Each structure stands twice: as C-alpha cells, then as structure tokens.
Amino acid sequence: MPMVENVRADRRRQVPRTDTLLADPQLAEAAERLGRELVKATVQRVQQRIREGAVLPAAAVDAVLAVLPATASSLRPVLNATGVLVHTNLGRAPLSAAAVAAVAAASGTTDVELDLATGRRGPRGEAALAALLAAVPAAEAALVVNNCAAALALVATTLGGELVIARGELVEIGDGFRIPELLGATGARLREVGTTNRVTLGDYRDALHAETGAVLKVHPSNFVVRGFTRAVPIAELAAGLAGRGVPLVADVGSGLLRPHPALPDEPDLQTTLADGADLVLASGDKLLGGPQAGIVLGRADLVQRLRRHPLYRALRVDKTTLAALEATLRGPVPPVPQMLAADVAGLRRRAEALAARLAAAGLDAVAVDSEARVGGGGAPEHPLPSAAVSLPEAFADPLRAGTRPVVGYRAGDRTLLDLRSVPPAADGELAAAVLEVAARWT
Ligand SMILES: *Cc1c(COP(=O)(O)O)cnc(C)c1O
C-alpha cells in the first residue's frame, strides 16, 4: 500500500466511535442542554476533521466542546461596533439586563391573562399597558402589536376607507418595506395630497369626504427633504381637522417617549399626542430600547376599536414581549438611551484605553474621533460625535467571523470599531476579540 493511503487507513481506524464520544460525560451533559441531534452532528463534523488529519483523535471531545454552540439556537451574540445604535441587521435595540431577566421569568407559564387574586381571566398584558400610559401621560389608552408595520396595518384595516396622506410621506423604510404598499395591501385606499416637497393644511382639508377613514402622518425617518419644502405640523393639522370627525394618526417610528435634546428633529410620543394627534404609532425596538413591538397610544375609543378588530388577534404579542416592554419602561435606563446620552469625552477615554492596550500587545491600533448614527429609521443625517479604535483594514473580516463576532466598519484602509454602540462593560470582550484575531496571524 502506498504510504499516503496507509496514513489514511490508520486515521480511519483511530477515529473514536460516535457512541463512545456521545457517552463522554461532558458531551452527555451538552446533549441534555442542547439536544442529542445537535451534539451528534457536531461529533460527526469533528470525526471528519480527524479523518482529514486536522484534529488528533485524543483531542476529539475537546474539539467538539470548542465548537458546540452556547445555546440550542444558532443566533449568536455579536458586538455592535458599527456606531449605528439601532442596527436592524443586528437585531435593533439590545435589551436591558432587567428586560432579559423579565423575559426569562415570563418564559414559563405566567399570569399574562389571569388575575391570581380572583382566579378569573384578566386583561392581557395589563401591566405593560399601564407602564406605557405612565410613560406617556397624554395617552388615554394603549395597545401593543407585533411591530410598527403591524400597527399601521391594523389602523388601516380598522379605520380606512380612504386614508389621506401627504405625497412626501409615502416612504420606504428599508429592505423594500414601503408604507404605501403595506397600507394598500389592507384594502384601504390612499388619497395622496400635496406634492413631493410641499403640502398645506388646505390640501388635507380639501381631500376629506364621507369615506375618509383617517388622516395619516408618517415621519420620514430615514431621509430629509431640503430646500423649498413645507409640511403641516401636527398641532396645525389637528386644529385644522377639529370638528371634522376624522381621526389624525401619526406614525412617529422611533419610539422616543419625550423630546430628546440630542435629536431635535425627532418626534416623540408625548408631544405628538399633546399636540392633538388622536393616535400615535411607534416601534418598541428603536430609540425606546425595548423588544420588537408596535406601540399604539391615544384616544380610548379608537384604541378600543383596534382591539376589537379580528385582525388584532393575529398581530398581538406574546408574554415575553410584554414582559420585556414593561421592564424596559419601568426598569433602569436601557442600553440604547444610554448610548444616545453617552458623552464624547467618556467615549474618547474608552477608545484611548483600548487602543493603548492593543498597541501594548504590538498592534497598529489608535484612538480616533468618529461619527455614530441612530440608525434603524431615526434621526437621518444627524451624526452623533463618537470615538473609535482604528485598526488595519484586514481586521474587519476575521473579527466578524471570530468566536465572539465583532462588526465594525471600513473607512479608507482602516477598520473602525466605534464605541458609542458598544456597552462599556463589553470593552474587555472587544479587546479580547481583537487580540484573538491578531494571535492567529503570528
Ligand atoms: C421603523 C419604522 C416603521 C416600521 O417599524 P417596524 O417596527 O420595523 O415595523 C414604520 N414607520 C416608521 C416611520 C418607522 O421609522
């Protein structure tokens, strides 16, 4: 037998058997936690690596343990160093520790729709709705659905007839999601008013007729129109519609509860209602910093109509969303608002400390000033001053593919890791991920 085949045959004989490996106490424990099929598939991958000579037979168990996922889901935690605070591809808002704990506590059987004092059926998610009303006192009633798109679909289905909307607000939010197409899909008709750049109160008023279901205002959350422009502010529109019996619905998108000093152009729920909107709609996982959800706040009779519509049943949220939302509103300030409020001096100190640590290990790392963004449909063109660690460009791909994935961004021939979107407690992990990539090259 030629020598190469000899070596291969030898290796085949040495590959530990699947049953033997699965009986190993550590792998048996992993199978309890992750499921036998997942561990078995990983064992088979490692056996193949042994046949290829890439892993020593004696190291089989360790090799399996090294590549087993931490949970039975393949979704992995990623460090967001893009500087985009609400990154849709990275799951938008990271939940607060309080919200994560609330999700875990509500994950089993829980009193989401049962009054434990009386043993009777209770209103679903009452505490989360109460937390919303406490946070936005201008609202009479609240409802939570799957996301803001669901809130729009429910409003259009329940109130349309015809929805009056400004031409300049027929927006595409992202990834082909076009608000007019969503509204149209519900069977509601759209009555476009004004032009791309200008709309007046008169345009809205002229469009009203017996079949008008609502006037809809959509915040252009991912672009700005400059120059010869005019929109009708909520207060003016509300005053101009008074007595016409047509509800004014405002989709504000980002879910800010109150005005934010760093984001002067971003509408908020409290002010929009106080200015006279009958309903406001927003996402839970943007600037509010909570779980994916569509938040509806406003007039009690309208909220009640939405809740009674059969479609609501198809759009309602589960117990873990309600738990996370309540904890986001009642608990400590969640990560996204914290990141938004972080002062740039503190970010620079973190960038300098990290760069110094990496430079001490021989890496070409420096602290630089950068610009972060809200992202996810919020405050377009509004840069947030930030600080980043700058590394050679070659770091970008391996950092993303590492054991603890880090997503930064390229700027010229450098990879920047922006710290405004990284929780301060994760700086150590960030450094470790960079050092691990560097170690593979030396
Ligand atoms: C983001 C956004 C939406 C969509 O929200 P989802 O919660 O992702 O469905 C709708 N309208 C506006 C104005 C937005 O900014």
Side-chain angles (χ1 to χ4, degrees):
M1 216 192 287
M3 207 160 84
V4 176
E5 279 181 30
N6 231 332
V7 170
R8 287 207 186 116
D10 250 22
R11 281 196 195 131
R12 261 198 296 281
R13 271 195 299 278
Q14 288 177 0
V15 175
R17 290 165 46 92
T18 308
D19 289 348
T20 313
L21 286 173
L22 287 174
D24 174 274
Q26 291 183 84
L27 296 190
E29 184 277 325
E32 285 273 308
R33 221 166 11 92
L34 301 172
R36 190 179 150 86
E37 284 312 307
L38 201 158
V39 177
K40 191 171 161 191
T42 310
V43 161
Q44 286 165 343
R45 284 215 311 278
V46 167
Q47 287 170 323
Q48 182 56 32
R49 305 271 292 150
I50 294 173
R51 273 179 222 114
E52 291 162 5
V55 172
L56 291 173
V61 169
D62 287 341
V64 173
L65 289 171
V67 293
L68 271 180
T71 71
S73 154
S74 61
L75 288 179
R76 296 168 63 196
V78 174
L79 279 175
N80 172 13
T82 61
V84 178
L85 306 192
V86 177
H87 198 301
T88 300
N89 303 150
L90 296 177
R92 291 201 183 155
L95 293 180
S96 67
V100 172
V103 166
S107 292
T109 39
T110 184
D111 58 343
V112 66
E113 249 180 68
L114 187 77
D115 182 341
L116 292 175
T118 62
R120 294 215 187 87
R121 178 157 180 218
R124 184 180 174 83
E126 196 179 21
L129 300 180
L132 276 171
L133 296 178
V136 184
E140 293 172 7
L143 193 68
V144 181
V145 288
N146 179 58
N147 57 12
C148 191
L152 277 165
L154 184 59
V155 162
T157 308
T158 309
L159 306 182
E162 198 168 85
L163 300 171
V164 177
I165 183 168
R167 272 212 174 79
E169 295 178 6
L170 297 169
V171 303
E172 174 168 326
I173 298 294
D175 193 28
F177 167 43
R178 295 177 166 172
I179 285 187
E181 289 176 359
L182 172 79
L183 297 173
T186 68
R189 292 185 313 279
L190 294 188
R191 176 74 176 264
E192 303 168 18
V193 295
T195 61
T196 310
N197 53 330
R198 285 175 74 86
V199 64
T200 65
L201 180 58
D203 293 327
Y204 282 102
R205 283 157 63 116
D206 289 348
L208 302 183
H209 62 93
E211 277 174 40
T212 307
V215 170
L216 184 59
K217 238 182 111 59
V218 175
H219 177 54
S221 55
N222 54 6
F223 67 101
V224 292
V225 183
R226 267 198 221 95
F228 187 53
T229 65
R230 184 173 181 341
V232 185
I234 289 286
E236 186 187 339
L237 196 49
L241 295 175
R244 305 293 290 261
V246 176
L248 172 57
V249 181
D251 170 10
V252 302
S254 71
L256 268 190
L257 296 170
R258 319 210 146 233
H260 196 291
L263 304 174
D265 299 327
E266 200 60 23
D268 66 279
L269 295 163
Q270 171 68 19
T271 307
T272 306
L273 282 175
D275 281 351
D278 297 296
L279 287 177
V280 286
L281 318 178
S283 298
D285 54 357
K286 293 181 178 172
L287 291 176
L288 184 63
Q292 179 186 307
I295 291 164
V296 183
L297 291 166
R299 249 169 63 189
D301 61 320
L302 294 175
V303 170
Q304 188 63 358
R305 274 176 70 192
L306 301 179
R307 193 194 312 276
R308 290 253 169 82
H309 193 284
L311 186 62
Y312 167 65
R313 185 62 171 74
L315 302 176
R316 73 177 195 187
V317 293
D318 80 320
K319 59 196 176 180
T320 59
T321 298
L322 291 165
L325 184 59
E326 183 186 353
T328 298
L329 291 160
R330 298 255 195 224
V333 179
V336 170
Q338 279 190 35
M339 290 165 178
L340 196 55
D343 81 313
V344 71
L347 296 171
R348 284 199 188 113
R349 277 195 297 278
R350 287 170 58 198
E352 274 154 20
L354 270 169
R357 186 165 158 195
L358 298 172
L363 303 189
D364 167 14
V366 287
V368 296
D369 282 349
S370 60
E371 281 187 351
R373 306 246 160 222
V374 168
E381 309 221 328
H382 192 94
L384 305 163
S386 190
V389 175
S390 164
L391 296 166
E393 187 187 9
F395 272 87
D397 291 340
L399 271 176
R400 201 181 53 249
T403 46
R404 175 63 154 117
V406 177
V407 181
Y409 66 99
R410 287 188 167 88
D413 61 352
R414 305 291 290 180
T415 290
L416 297 198
L417 305 179
D418 193 297
L419 294 183
R420 193 180 276 278
S421 54
V422 177
D427 283 359
E429 265 182 277
L430 189 65
V434 174
L435 290 169
E436 190 189 301
V437 167
R440 271 189 263 146
W441 286 334
T442 51

